[in-house]
């Protein structure tokens, strides 16, 4: 670990990479993470850079992966995340990856389309089933009304004036009610009714009943509430109008047979078809599930690989292409102490790419101020982050972080100052530190947990110091404590007097002790403040 | 309301609106966009703007219609977020803005039905901000009276229909008349609503109106009304109706009925416009008004000249920009919507030029900042 007192010495270097070796060298440099590249093409547009096509291909791959991830999450399949670090694949492997993703995406799309068609069928059959069930009541009522209507003219006197044909004709007209039955979203029913009433001038008769269980919408997969409705009307024109309105409100109409017997037959047929569809549907779901489970095993690794490729090409976009088109030039900031490691990484990269020409790292002198680089480990990292939140120090300035390691928890403890709660805090921090490998691997999404886990060393130190200040303040679990016995004693304040003044002492509300007396036991309270202050009038509410 | 109490109810939304306004594309963005060779370049550049990765999940190759849909979707989401979080009277104000789109949707659907198009084809073409429940059942109506009685009487547009209920059939000519009548009633109603926001402080763009509409003076603040936005809109419609009606069967009286009466042209300018027979006479009318004279100068359809429509768009952009110069008023929401729409039009224009590889007129977008 470098010295944390000041930031590391950083120098500007020039990098000459052969075009074939460039990808592998940047990959190796990325793995060790010790180099900061400068953008040598600042005024070139994003889409005019050299490797923009590769970046686009990476974008496409990421899009496909996101689509797959969404499907996996929808099915609630756990994605395996072992936390290992896959290396960036070679450029020629990119084509293989692209092909794999393409195949997976197409398969998923096909399966989804099939499932949607099946679900739509299923929905229709379910709705039909509900219609057949509910319309029984409606038809009975409708018959009652038409009965009453046809009975009416019989009792009037004017009936005798009509000839027989006219009567039967009139009677038939009164009985001839057409109807349509269908299903509509529950939210749309009020507007639907109102529009029907208005458009048909009140000449239609609507009955509706709710479907209790929510149905699944095939496209979005949401549960929606629907209602069955049936509309009675007379005449062809009204029928057309009613149909148009139903279409406008996206109500689905179903052919419903008139007689009871036909309805029962249809209901049985519908039930068998629903059963068949259910089997096919579950088989499709199984297949889909299998495909997704296979994909879920690798998806995190793929994401990492694609991101690494993208990052490498973004970095390569910052390079300058030499006039001879043979090598790429870049400028970067490197810490002086790590130049050997960087050289080694470059050598590895050049060997991996099989190029014969070695890459050159050339130190340059410059008047520009280098960036601030602090080498931290997991303990000091949290404190460095705390300091950087207020502002990053300039190059080679004294770094406040090493001082903060002690002063920050101490100042916290002065304000916290409770032994009992300090013990709990310390134990919590200690548990996180001891179990840090297993806890760190579980990669939780919870922001608060991640904040606490990132500051586990901080919490441990703060707990430790709080125990110390708690003892000084005589505070444990917000209760006062007196471990060693106070060195102040009302008895010895006025020696010899006590025997006479016992009643006075008992009755007095307050008693002032004289600190100037020489009769105190010569030892002060061994550790911290003397607990006698906790009974004093000047004590503040929180015992400080 | 005054500036003291404005922030209690509307401060968050105004701040949000100004944040959205800060994300509108600048001149440098447009310069980069016109250099694109293919649509994917456009997508790449837009990733670095406020639009972010709005096209990230679209499979390539992109098409201009996909870009158009996504742009509109983003705008609609932002607007509806503001609408959902608003209280009176801002919510009524935002609703008023959507009525304009509702009118456009109605006319689109009726025209489509006339041409025997299936209603399901037309619904995706409607503007999402102007959708209402009964919209999809519009095709049952054959005459305006039916349209009103069956469909529109429950919508907020019902009072605007007073002038145009007739028993004539809906055909091409009548539909345009209906559209303009509706829009005229809507603009006048909007104007009235703004004046009843009660000393409401909303920004004006015209200096002339600022002087004549002073209601309070307080320190260095001048309170003026949103009248001016609406006035410009009204006058612009009057001009466009006149110019478009040359050569059609619209009589002068009918035309006069379509002019909204709340603009600066009312009453004298409107009377003159009603008598105009050709473009030159319209230009003469415009010469009387200081703001509109420069728009007609040099406007034409030749190459290198901007059309009158473009000129109106430019003036609109300028007025909307100055709406942001004052605080504590509702004009910022309207102005933001209009500016974003203009930006969408710009991006689509550039996309079309790029997609068709015809970059001659690519610079005819209207820069906003």
């Amino acid at each position: 670990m470098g010295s944390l007192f000041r930031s590391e010495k950083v120098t500007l270097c020039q990098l000459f990479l052969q075009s074939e070796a460039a990808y592998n060298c940047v990959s190796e440099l990325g793995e060790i993470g010790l180099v900061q590249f400068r953008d040598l093409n600042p005024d070139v547009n994003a889409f005019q850079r050299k490797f923009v096509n590769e970046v686009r291909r990476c974008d496409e791959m990421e899009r496909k992966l996101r689509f797959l991830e969404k499907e996996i999450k929808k099915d609630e399949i756990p994605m395996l995340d072992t936390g290992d670090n896959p290396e960036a694949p070679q450029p020629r492997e990119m084509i293989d990856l692209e092909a794999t993703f393409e195949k997976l995406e197409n398969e998923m799309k096909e399966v989804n389309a099939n499932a949607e068609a099946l679900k739509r069928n299923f929905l229709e059959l379910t709705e039909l089933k509900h219609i057949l069930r509910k319309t029984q009541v409606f038809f009975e009522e409708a018959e009652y009304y038409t009965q009453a209507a046809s009975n009416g003219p019989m009792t009037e006197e004017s009936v005798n004036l009509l000839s027989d044909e006219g009567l039967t004709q009139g009677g038939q007209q009164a009985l001839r009610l057409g109807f349509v039955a269908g299903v509509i979203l529950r939210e749309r029913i009020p507007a639907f009714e109102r529009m029907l009433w208005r458009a048909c001038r009140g000449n239609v008769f609507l009955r509706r009943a709710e479907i209790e269980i929510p149905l699944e919408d095939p496209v979005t997969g949401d549960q929606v509430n629907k209602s069955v409705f049936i509309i009675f009307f007379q005449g062809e024109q009204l029928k057309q109008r009613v149909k148009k309105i139903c279409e406008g409100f996206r109500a689905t109409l179903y052919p419903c047979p008139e007689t009871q017997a036909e309805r029962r037959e249809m209901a049985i047929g519908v039930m068998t078809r629903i059963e068949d569809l259910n089997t096919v549907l579950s088989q499709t779901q199984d297949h889909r599930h299998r495909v997704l489970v296979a994909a879920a095993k690798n998806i995190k690794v793929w994401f990492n690989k694609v991101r690494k490729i993208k990052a490498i090409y973004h970095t390569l976009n910052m390079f300058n292409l030499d006039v001879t088109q043979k090598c790429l030039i870049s400028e970067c900031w490197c810490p002086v102490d790590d130049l050997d490691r960087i050289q080694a990484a470059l050598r590895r990269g050049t060997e991996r790419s099989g190029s014969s020409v070695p890459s050159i790292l050339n130190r340059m002198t410059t008047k520009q101020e280098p960036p601030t680089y602090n080498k931290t480990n997991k303990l000091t990292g949290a404190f460095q982050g705390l300091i950087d939140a207020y502002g990053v120090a300039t190059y080679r300035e004294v770094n406040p972080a090493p001082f903060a390691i002690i002063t920050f928890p101490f100042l916290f403890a002065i304000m916290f100052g409770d032994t009992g709660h300090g013990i709990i805090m310390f134990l919590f921090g200690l548990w996180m530190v001891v179990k840090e490998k297993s806890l760190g691997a579980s990669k939780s999404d919870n922001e608060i947990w991640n904040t606490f886990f990132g500051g586990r060393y901080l919490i441990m130190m703060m707990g430790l110091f709080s125990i110390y200040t708690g003892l000084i303040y005589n505070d444990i679990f917000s209760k006062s404590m007196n471990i060693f016995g106070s060195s102040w004693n009302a008895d010895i304040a006025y020696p010899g007097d006590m025997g006479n003044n016992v009643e006075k002492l008992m009755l007095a509300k307050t008693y002032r002790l004289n600190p100037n007396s020489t009769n105190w036991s010569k030892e002060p309270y061994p550790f911290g403040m003397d607990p006698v202050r906790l009974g004093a009038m000047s004590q503040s509410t929180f015992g400080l | 309301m005054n500036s003291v109490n404005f922030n209690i109810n509307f401060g968050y939304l105004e701040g949000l609106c100004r944040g959205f306004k800060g994300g509108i594309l600048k001149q440098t963005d447009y310069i980069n966009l016109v250099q694109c060779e293919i649509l994917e370049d456009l997508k790449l550049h837009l990733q670095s703007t406020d639009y972010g990765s709005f096209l990230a999940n679209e499979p390539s190759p992109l098409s201009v219609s996909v870009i158009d849909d996504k742009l509109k979707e983003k705008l609609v989401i932002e607007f509806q977020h503001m609408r959902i979080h608003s209280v009176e009277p801002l919510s009524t104000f935002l609703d008023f803005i959507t009525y304009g789109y509702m009118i456009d949707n109605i006319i689109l659907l009726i025209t489509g039905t006339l041409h025997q198009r299936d209603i399901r084809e037309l619904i995706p073409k409607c503007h999402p901000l102007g959708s209402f429940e009964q919209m999809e059942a519009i095709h049952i109506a054959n005459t305006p009276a039916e349209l009103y009685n069956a469909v529109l009487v429950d919508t907020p547009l019902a009072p605007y229909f007073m002038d145009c209920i007739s028993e004539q059939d809906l055909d091409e000519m009548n539909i345009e008349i209906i559209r303009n009548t509706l829009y005229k009633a809507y603009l006048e109603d909007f104007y009235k609503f703004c004046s009843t926001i009660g000393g409401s402080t909303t920004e004006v763009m015209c200096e002339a109106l600022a002087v004549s509409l002073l209601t309070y003076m307080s320190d260095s603040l001048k309170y003026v009304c949103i009248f001016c936005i609406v006035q410009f809109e009204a006058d612009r419609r009057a001009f466009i109706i006149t110019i478009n009606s040359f050569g059609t069967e619209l009589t002068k009286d009918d035309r006069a009925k379509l002019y909204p009466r709340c603009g600066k042209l009312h009453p004298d300018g409107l009377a003159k416009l009603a008598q105009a027979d050709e473009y030159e006479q319209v230009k003469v009318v415009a010469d009387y008004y200081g703001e509109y004279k420069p728009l007609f100068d040099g406007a034409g359809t030749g190459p290198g000249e901007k059309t009158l429509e473009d000129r109106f768009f430019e003036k609109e952009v300028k007025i909307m920009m100055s709406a942001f110069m004052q605080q504590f008023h509702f004009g910022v929401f309207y102005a933001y919507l209009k500016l974003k729409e203009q930006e969408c039009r710009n991006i689509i224009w550039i996309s079309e030029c790029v997609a068709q590889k015809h970059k001659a007129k690519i610079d005819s977008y209207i820069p906003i900042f």
Side-chain angles (χ1 to χ4, degrees):
Chain A
M1 171 174 134
S3 156
L4 206 55
F5 186 60
R6 288 188 196 273
S7 69
E8 300 287 316
K9 280 216 197 85
V10 171
T11 172
L12 186 65
C13 297
Q14 225 178 11
L15 211 50
F16 292 90
L17 300 172
Q18 207 192 15
S19 307
E20 294 105 47
Y23 182 90
N24 282 310
C25 289
V26 172
S27 165
E28 290 290 337
L29 286 175
E31 295 288 340
I32 58 172
L34 284 173
V35 162
Q36 178 180 327
F37 288 98
R38 284 178 65 195
D39 188 5
L40 293 177
N41 310 319
D43 32 342
V44 178
N45 281 330
F47 46 87
Q48 286 168 343
R49 300 217 178 198
K50 190 164 180 298
F51 295 95
V52 69
N53 280 327
E54 280 81 3
V55 174
R56 269 203 205 117
R57 280 164 67 189
C58 290
D59 271 337
E60 260 300 297
M61 287 200 278
E62 269 191 337
R63 181 190 66 78
K64 295 195 179 109
L65 283 177
R66 269 199 300 268
F67 169 69
L68 286 170
E69 190 183 18
K70 198 165 65 129
E71 296 291 323
I72 291 176
K73 279 211 180 109
K74 231 202 280 189
D75 268 16
E76 291 170 13
I77 302 173
M79 286 182 277
L80 189 63
D81 193 1
T82 57
D84 32 275
N85 204 358
E87 266 195 1
Q90 299 295 319
R92 48 183 174 276
E93 287 169 29
M94 215 162 101
I95 305 181
D96 293 334
L97 278 177
E98 275 179 330
T100 322
F101 298 158
E102 176 94 22
K103 197 168 72 86
L104 270 173
E105 188 193 20
N106 285 339
E107 219 179 313
M108 278 313 300
K109 281 212 185 122
E110 209 184 304
V111 167
N112 278 347
N114 287 341
E116 196 180 308
L118 285 172
K119 279 194 194 144
R120 211 180 299 251
N121 245 344
F122 183 75
L123 183 71
E124 280 175 18
L125 287 174
T126 321
E127 287 178 356
L128 190 53
K129 180 179 86 177
H130 283 288
I131 288 185
L132 290 171
R133 231 185 266 158
K134 307 264 181 205
T135 50
Q136 178 58 25
V137 181
F138 297 156
F139 277 117
E140 282 171 2
E141 288 186 3
E143 268 180 44
Y144 171 73
Y145 281 123
T146 53
Q147 278 281 327
S150 63
N151 279 334
M154 303 276 209
T155 55
E156 285 178 15
E157 285 184 1
S158 56
V159 136
N160 300 322
L161 298 173
L162 288 172
S163 64
D164 276 332
E165 294 89 35
L167 181 55
T168 34
Q169 237 179 18
Q172 270 186 347
Q173 272 175 9
L175 284 169
R176 186 75 262 155
L177 277 184
F179 69 93
V180 289
V183 171
I184 190 175
L185 280 174
R186 234 182 258 174
E187 300 94 57
R188 304 226 174 133
I189 285 227
F192 183 55
E193 269 196 81
R194 221 177 300 137
M195 172 153 302
L196 268 180
W197 178 262
R198 290 225 169 86
C200 308
R201 294 168 220 271
N203 285 331
V204 298
F205 180 56
L206 170 83
R207 292 302 310 276
R208 57 182 153 82
E210 293 178 354
I211 301 181
E212 297 85 17
I213 51 165
L215 304 168
E216 192 188 346
D217 180 42
V219 177
T220 59
D222 294 333
Q223 305 283 346
V224 290
N225 286 318
K226 295 199 176 184
S227 298
V228 168
F229 66 89
I230 183 164
I231 306 177
F232 293 99
F233 49 79
Q234 207 175 20
E236 191 56 32
Q237 273 190 349
L238 274 180
K239 183 172 184 182
Q240 292 305 322
R241 195 163 278 206
V242 164
K243 277 215 166 116
K244 270 196 190 170
I245 298 180
C246 290
E247 208 182 303
F249 277 86
R250 306 234 182 142
T252 34
L253 298 174
Y254 294 97
C256 191
E258 291 198 43
T259 63
Q260 170 81 320
E262 278 176 29
R263 276 203 295 275
R264 217 169 300 143
E265 242 181 79
M266 201 182 217
I268 298 176
V270 163
M271 292 304 284
T272 30
R273 276 159 70 195
I274 290 185
E275 308 252 327
D276 292 336
L277 251 186
N278 256 332
T279 12
V280 179
L281 205 57
S282 55
Q283 275 175 358
T284 322
Q285 295 287 63
D286 276 341
H287 174 63
R288 184 190 132 101
H289 194 83
R290 254 177 284 129
V291 171
L292 284 176
V293 163
K297 287 205 192 85
N298 299 326
I299 199 160
K300 288 286 179 192
V301 171
W302 283 335
F303 258 123
N304 278 334
K305 282 192 179 163
V306 171
R307 281 198 197 115
K308 283 195 177 177
I309 301 179
K310 205 167 163 196
I312 294 178
Y313 279 117
H314 271 307
T315 315
L316 285 176
N317 271 336
M318 295 200 262
F319 284 20
N320 232 340
L321 191 58
D322 179 38
V323 194
T324 63
Q325 301 272 338
K326 280 283 181 48
C327 72
L328 289 163
I329 309 176
S330 88
E331 289 177 13
C332 55
W333 296 104
C334 318
V336 173
D337 292 337
D338 290 321
L339 276 177
D340 303 324
R341 287 176 64 187
I342 298 177
Q343 295 274 25
L346 282 176
R347 260 198 303 277
R348 273 201 305 274
T350 334
E351 276 167 41
R352 273 253 302 268
S353 70
S355 152
S356 51
V357 180
S359 319
I360 305 172
L361 184 71
N362 198 10
R363 268 180 87 157
M364 295 188 337
T365 52
T366 170
K367 286 223 168 46
Q368 288 174 353
E369 194 175 281
T372 312
Y373 173 54
N374 287 311
K375 277 215 183 103
T376 55
N377 57 23
K378 59 187 179 183
L379 166 60
T380 55
F383 295 99
Q384 188 66 51
L386 206 59
I387 299 294
D388 285 345
Y390 286 94
V392 180
T394 55
Y395 178 63
R396 296 292 283 170
E397 188 187 350
V398 170
N399 184 13
F403 305 105
I405 296 182
I406 297 299
T407 57
F408 183 85
F410 182 67
L411 283 172
F412 173 87
I414 290 181
M415 293 186 278
F416 196 65
D418 188 319
T419 309
H421 294 125
I423 290 178
I424 294 182
M425 199 171 179
F426 173 66
L427 288 177
F428 178 55
L430 192 63
W431 169 73
M432 280 199 287
V433 168
V434 165
K435 288 261 192 253
E436 73 185 351
K437 273 221 172 49
S438 56
L439 287 174
S442 61
K443 290 230 173 56
S444 149
D445 273 339
N446 192 344
E447 233 179 279
I448 299 187
W449 166 253
N450 282 335
T451 313
F452 282 171
F453 185 68
R456 53 196 181 278
Y457 289 100
L458 202 58
I459 292 180
M460 199 176 75
M461 305 266 280
M462 295 197 298
L464 193 60
F465 279 87
S466 302
I467 300 176
Y468 171 73
T469 53
L471 286 172
I472 295 188
Y473 291 153
N474 310 317
D475 207 10
I476 183 163
F477 288 116
S478 304
K479 293 212 167 291
S480 321
M481 60 178 170
N482 184 351
I483 301 182
F484 301 106
S486 171
S487 300
W488 292 71
N489 196 336
D491 198 28
I492 59 178
Y494 295 99
D497 231 2
M498 266 306 98
N500 302 333
N501 287 335
V502 163
E503 290 106 30
K504 240 200 274 182
L505 192 58
M506 292 296 188
L507 293 170
K509 274 213 215 105
T510 65
Y511 195 76
R512 178 189 288 163
L513 298 173
N514 183 6
N516 209 5
S517 157
T518 48
N519 283 322
W520 303 115
S521 76
K522 298 289 191 278
E523 290 118 35
Y525 191 74
F527 185 77
M529 317 247 280
D530 195 308
V532 73
R533 72 185 184 95
L534 298 169
M537 286 270 292
S538 57
Q539 178 200 2
S540 72
T541 337
F542 289 105
L544 279 179
Chain B
M1 76 234 51
N2 51 24
S3 35
V4 171
N5 298 326
F6 185 85
N7 272 345
I8 301 174
N9 287 325
F10 312 115
Y12 164 66
L13 287 174
E14 186 189 348
L16 199 61
C17 187
R18 282 180 192 268
F20 288 146
K21 169 242 185 193
I24 293 184
L25 297 184
K26 315 253 178 314
Q27 185 63 34
T28 48
D29 291 312
Y30 285 119
I31 292 180
N32 280 336
L33 283 177
V34 301
Q35 289 178 347
C36 294
E37 295 293 325
I38 53 176
L39 287 180
E40 263 69 9
D41 292 339
L42 233 100
K43 166 179 165 181
L44 201 61
H45 180 80
L46 286 176
Q47 273 179 353
S48 62
T49 65
D50 211 29
Y51 281 104
S53 40
F54 77 118
L55 285 174
N57 288 330
E58 298 302 316
S60 64
L62 283 176
S63 67
V64 180
S65 57
V66 164
I67 299 183
D68 190 21
D69 285 338
K70 284 283 172 190
L71 285 172
K72 238 190 259 185
E73 191 183 310
K74 182 168 189 289
L75 177 58
V76 166
I77 290 176
E78 288 173 359
F79 183 81
Q80 288 190 332
H81 176 87
M82 289 197 286
R83 169 66 187 85
I84 291 173
H85 286 259
S86 58
V87 291
E88 293 295 333
L90 180 59
S91 44
T92 319
F93 184 87
L94 292 176
D95 282 338
F96 259 101
I97 301 182
T98 61
Y99 296 163
Y101 296 108
M102 277 189 207
I103 297 178
D104 286 335
N105 282 351
I106 293 176
I107 302 299
L108 178 80
L109 287 173
I110 296 183
T111 321
T113 320
L114 261 191
H115 291 152
Q116 314 298 336
R117 289 241 168 80
D118 189 17
I119 189 98
R120 269 181 285 266
E121 267 180 44
L122 298 169
I123 296 291
K125 296 212 176 91
C126 290
H127 199 285
L129 278 180
S131 61
F132 53 98
E133 250 187 343
Q134 297 86 345
M135 182 167 82
E136 300 171 15
I138 266 187
H139 60 312
I140 63 166
N142 292 326
T143 71
E146 260 185 42
L147 183 65
Y148 176 73
N149 279 327
V151 182
L152 293 176
V153 65
D154 287 321
T155 63
L157 299 175
Y160 306 149
F161 242 74
M162 291 301 146
D163 289 333
C164 55
I165 300 184
S166 66
E167 284 301 328
Q168 296 166 323
D169 272 334
L170 292 170
D171 64 13
E172 288 282 349
M173 176 72 148
N174 284 341
I175 288 184
E176 280 308 308
I177 297 186
I178 290 181
R179 178 214 293 270
N180 287 316
T181 326
L182 279 178
Y183 215 88
K184 163 189 173 215
Y186 154 66
L187 271 183
E188 288 179 358
D189 200 26
F190 198 1
Y191 191 83
K192 222 176 351 149
F193 172 73
C194 293
S195 53
T196 61
I197 295 187
S200 155
T201 60
T202 53
E203 174 61 18
V204 82
M205 307 77 186
C206 320
E207 298 76 32
L209 206 60
V211 170
S212 64
L213 273 186
L214 279 176
T215 45
Y216 317 99
M217 277 279 265
S218 147
D219 294 310
S220 56
L221 278 178
K222 291 187 189 127
Y223 290 84
V224 277
C225 255
I226 197 178
F227 293 167
C228 217
I229 304 183
V230 179
Q231 285 191 343
F232 172 72
E233 189 64 27
D235 291 337
R236 170 205 200 164
R237 280 200 88 79
F239 280 124
I240 298 294
I241 289 174
T242 317
I243 294 179
N244 284 345
S245 68
F246 292 144
T248 69
E249 296 162 355
L250 192 63
T251 65
K252 292 197 181 150
D253 290 330
D254 284 337
R255 197 204 308 163
K257 272 194 273 194
L258 297 176
Y259 294 143
R261 282 181 300 245
C262 52
K264 273 210 271 288
L265 292 175
H266 175 69
D268 304 317
L270 286 184
K272 283 223 174 53
L273 268 188
Q275 303 303 318
D277 267 326
E278 46 166 20
Y279 183 75
E280 287 303 318
Q281 294 179 357
V282 174
K283 203 158 168 225
V284 162
V285 174
D287 282 345
Y288 284 120
Y289 293 89
E291 308 79 19
Y292 302 129
K293 181 170 189 309
L295 294 182
F296 279 82
D297 284 341
T301 46
E305 287 179 328
K306 298 211 169 135
T307 66
L308 188 60
E309 301 260 342
D310 284 342
R311 288 287 182 107
F312 272 125
F313 278 135
E314 268 180 18
K315 181 103 171 78
E316 185 188 35
V317 163
K318 240 188 270 167
I319 294 183
M320 296 306 155
M321 289 286 296
S322 45
F324 283 98
M325 293 298 161
Q326 274 202 10
Q327 249 192 307
F328 308 131
H329 64 95
F330 294 157
V332 286
F333 299 100
Y334 186 87
Y336 156 72
L337 194 66
K338 290 292 169 190
L339 284 179
K340 266 306 227 215
E341 274 193 345
Q342 181 61 44
E343 181 184 276
C344 288
R345 280 195 286 265
N346 285 346
I347 296 181
I348 296 302
W349 173 259
I350 296 178
S351 313
E352 287 282 2
C353 291
V354 163
Q356 294 171 10
K357 305 222 187 297
H358 188 63
K359 295 209 174 171
K361 286 199 132 204
I362 199 170
D363 286 324
S364 309
Y365 61 88
I366 296 171
I368 299 180
F369 280 119

